[in-house]
Amino acid sequence: MSANEPRDDEILGRALSRAIETAPVTETPYERSRMAVPPVKHGVSLWRVAALAACIVIAAALGSTLLERPAIDEPVGVQPSARPSLAPTTPQPTASAMPRATTAPTAVDHQVIYFAREGLPPIAARVDVLPVGSGISDLKTLPTAAERIGARMHALIGAGQAPIGTFNAMPPSSAVQSVTGVQIEGDLARIDLVVNAGNWQVSGAARSTAVLQQLVYTATEEPGIRRVLITENGGKPTRIDQLVIDKPLSREDVFGYAFRGAVGIDQAINGDGGAGESAAYSGGGSTTLVEVGSLVRFTSEPRDANGRPAKLPRFTVWLDPGDDTQPDGAKYTLTVLLRYGAGQPVGGGGSPQIHDQTPLRATRSDGGGTQLRLALDDARPWRAFTEANGTRLVVEIGGDPRAVSDRIAVYLPSVGATVATELRVRGAARVFEANVSWRLKDRSQKVLTSGQFTASLGTSAAWGTFERVVALPPGATGNVTLELYEASARDGSEVGLVSIPVTVTAR
Amino acid sequence: MTDGWRELYDSEYPRLLRALLAIGGDPDAAEDAAQEAFVKAHEQGLATLERPGAWLLVVGTRELLRQRRRRRIETERWAERGSFETSAFDAVSDRADLLAALRQLPERQRTVVVARYYYGLSYDDIARHFEIKSGTVGATLHQAIEKLRQIQVAGRLARGAMR
């Protein structure tokens, strides 16, 4: 050992310390930590197996960096009561509530308006008084749907500061001045706005889209309403900058995904973890429900009688239109059904759990824990797959629209991520023979490097997963785009393309 | 209202998250383990934690390694990493490479390195908290550093990162 070594050790140690200290991380603020927003354990049952002494955990932050987006302060975790409130005078006691101290709401809260997010679907925020200055603190006191819609629209027009992580794209009240008429026809709401000289004072496609998202989501928040036709100044067609609105719009028309989630039992994803036809249900298992940004990720891991991970039975997952006039209903219902062999215990309906965190409004479990229904705000794309050798079922809803197509969903790198030496690519795919093609393009669309890999599963209803590390070629610096797609088996054309912009720090 | 939990969280969480990221290399797992450590701390009660920072590091690390063992089964190993060789001494990428080099060490060494150099724990503390024989902390540390040095450019990178 030379005399210099201790000193050299110290230098290296200090360098390491600096490196650790300056490594890019996405920090979860206290308000969203699991202490402030406790995972609900034992007691409030999600997947109704509590009676059978199962461990039920709603974990909050499993994927807080699944979609790491340092610029946008995204909600992490299922936080039924920690939603941003718009009321300037109302403190949010629940934001710092201690574990297990929250009182569970029993019905979905429709007293909300929507705010926009950069590149993501809008999210709801509760309004305590609406419209501003009206003194109406409980929307339910308004007798008709038209009045309630009108109140929400007024609140939207007069909304000020947007909650953290969102923005308000709505034009100033000098432009869009008021709501003059709301009419209901079946599931359609017709809304006429007073727009000063027909000028929305909004420019740019992104801003216009954000305005439209806020309008459509807010207008269709009313139970039973699925579409809205927005007109201006006495029934004239509306134009928000270049965006012409001449027909009724649903949430799926504006949510930003290129595809909507498959609807109907005939579009179900059927899969099998390999437990066999006569698989018995032990009643045990753990369930997690995680909400990160625009992604809801639900996992179920059954256990055998000895508490060991058990293979999943056959399962079916499908999306149906829902009944949002029910206290625990929403526009759509995603059902996850574990199909154990005949003669397995079937329990009664569990009590609903209200989440009210866009897009997940409520959950309800039935069948002794073999069926779970998720009440959702819209029909955004969803997918299902198994992990861990058939012992874990994963159901995902949504994700960043830029990273999701009908057959490929990418979690890493997240949109706009900064990387230094390599690209960790992680996601799910449902492509022919599991072949996923990728390429990295520079700013001028020149392909820097490309390749192919296989997902864990292909050519099946259930999705496969993938995780790869792509070494960055020397020329890859600054703004690059990672593209993933399926090369069509029929004609080689590219389908299901997702393009994820990434910044490579100078090396 | 938060009885000191917020203060503890605000002061300790960023450091813990970074330490766990350095040890495990996986942001998701680091976040998960950090959150879990705080939940465990909360269940334990603040008054019983003599030195919350060190306590959180120990519990978080345990949580992290437990998860990692689980995860390793389900995800196949990543493809080969790119070379650590870099031409210019840019501080940002040097640091990233230093962290990557750290990840090539065995788990135990990584943990000790982070506890010593990032958390500044004494040899005695490390021995006690991480259940290592008190006489071997220094040796483990030295081995770890030696190995980092051997990972070719690590030493050079270190000086680059210090600028």
Side-chain angles (χ1 to χ4, degrees), chain A residues 1 5 8-35 39 41 59 61-68 76 92-93 95-100 301 387-389 392 412 420-422 424 426 454 465 467-469 471 505-507, chain B residues 1-3 5-6 9-10 13-15 17-19 21-22 25-29 31-33 35-36 38-39 42-43 70-71 74-82 86-88 90 92-93 95-99 102 113-114 116-118 141-142 145-146 148-149 154-155 158-159 161-163:
Chain A
M1 188 186 282
E5 270 188 9
D8 277 356
D9 283 6
E10 208 54 39
I11 290 173
L12 194 53
R14 290 213 315 268
L16 265 167
S17 179
R18 280 274 294 277
I20 295 168
E21 183 59 45
T22 53
V25 294
T26 310
E27 294 176 10
T28 305
Y30 178 79
E31 283 72 19
R32 291 177 183 157
S33 74
R34 278 186 214 168
M35 284 203 299
K41 294 186 185 181
L62 179 143
S64 71
T65 47
L66 271 182
L67 300 166
E68 44 191 347
V76 173
Q92 278 279 293
S96 55
M98 284 295 103
R100 295 157 195 85
E301 297 174 89
E387 284 182 347
N389 201 18
R392 181 187 306 141
L412 282 177
T421 52
E422 61 189 22
R424 223 175 113 201
R426 195 165 80 191
T454 49
T465 56
E467 176 154 7
R468 285 292 181 283
V469 173
T505 54
R507 285 179 289 168
Chain B
M1 167 123 65
T2 65
D3 305 314
W5 286 106
R6 169 188 281 275
Y9 186 89
D10 285 349
Y13 168 80
R15 183 161 78 134
L17 181 65
R18 290 192 149 81
L21 179 60
D26 180 345
D28 293 357
E31 167 69 16
D32 205 35
Q35 292 292 340
E36 215 39 59
F38 273 97
V39 169
H42 191 268
E43 284 167 354
R70 216 178 55 205
R71 282 176 194 220
E74 61 190 64
T75 54
E76 40 177 312
R77 291 190 74 80
W78 296 352
E80 204 49 48
R81 288 168 185 284
T86 54
S87 53
D90 173 81
V92 173
S93 62
R95 284 175 193 155
D97 286 349
L98 196 50
L99 292 179
L102 177 67
V113 165
V114 170
R116 172 74 190 118
Y117 291 113
Y118 186 51
L141 208 51
H142 186 69
I145 293 291
E146 201 48 47
L148 275 181
R149 227 191 291 279
R159 285 173 188 83
M162 286 306 288
R163 291 179 308 169

Side-chain angles (χ1 to χ4, degrees), chain A residues 44-61:
Chain A
V44 195
S45 101
L46 166 65
W47 190 258
R48 182 82 184 160
V49 283
L52 298 159
C55 169
I56 295 167
V57 181
I58 300 177

Side-chain angles (χ1 to χ4, degrees), chain A residues 47-123:
Chain A
W47 190 258
R48 182 82 184 160
V49 283
L52 298 159
C55 169
I56 295 167
V57 181
I58 300 177
L62 179 143
S64 71
T65 47
L66 271 182
L67 300 166
E68 44 191 347
R69 298 168 47 77
I72 294 183
D73 197 8
E74 291 182 326
V76 173
V78 176
Q79 25 188 318
S81 52
R83 277 194 306 166
S85 167
L86 290 181
T89 54
T90 310
Q92 278 279 293
T94 48
S96 55
M98 284 295 103
R100 295 157 195 85
T102 48
T103 53
T106 55
V108 169
D109 183 7
H110 292 290
Q111 190 160 325
V112 298
I113 62 175
Y114 285 80
F115 287 92
R117 289 185 298 173
E118 200 80 53
L120 296 172
I123 52 173

Side-chain angles (χ1 to χ4, degrees), chain A residues 61 64 168 222-223 237 247 257 345 362 389 444 446 452 470 478:
Chain A
S64 71
N168 186 5
E222 180 65 24
K247 59 177 194 304
Y257 293 97
N389 201 18
S444 62
K446 193 180 93 194
Q452 269 195 3
V470 171

Side-chain angles (χ1 to χ4, degrees), chain B residues 18-106:
Chain B
R18 290 192 149 81
L20 296 177
L21 179 60
I23 294 171
D26 180 345
D28 293 357
E31 167 69 16
D32 205 35
Q35 292 292 340
E36 215 39 59
F38 273 97
V39 169
K40 287 215 160 72
H42 191 268
E43 284 167 354
Q44 185 110 352
L46 195 53
T48 65
L49 305 181
E50 200 188 327
R51 294 182 51 194
W55 192 94
L56 285 163
L57 178 66
V58 172
V59 172
T61 306
R62 208 178 290 148
E63 195 65 30
L64 183 76
L65 300 182
R66 199 174 59 78
Q67 286 172 11
R68 276 168 52 83
R69 275 186 274 279
R70 216 178 55 205
R71 282 176 194 220
R72 210 172 295 154
I73 306 166
E74 61 190 64
T75 54
E76 40 177 312
R77 291 190 74 80
W78 296 352
E80 204 49 48
R81 288 168 185 284
S83 153
F84 294 125
E85 201 68 52
T86 54
S87 53
F89 275 135
D90 173 81
V92 173
S93 62
D94 286 355
R95 284 175 193 155
D97 286 349
L98 196 50
L99 292 179
L102 177 67
R103 266 169 236 143
Q104 299 199 333
L105 301 183

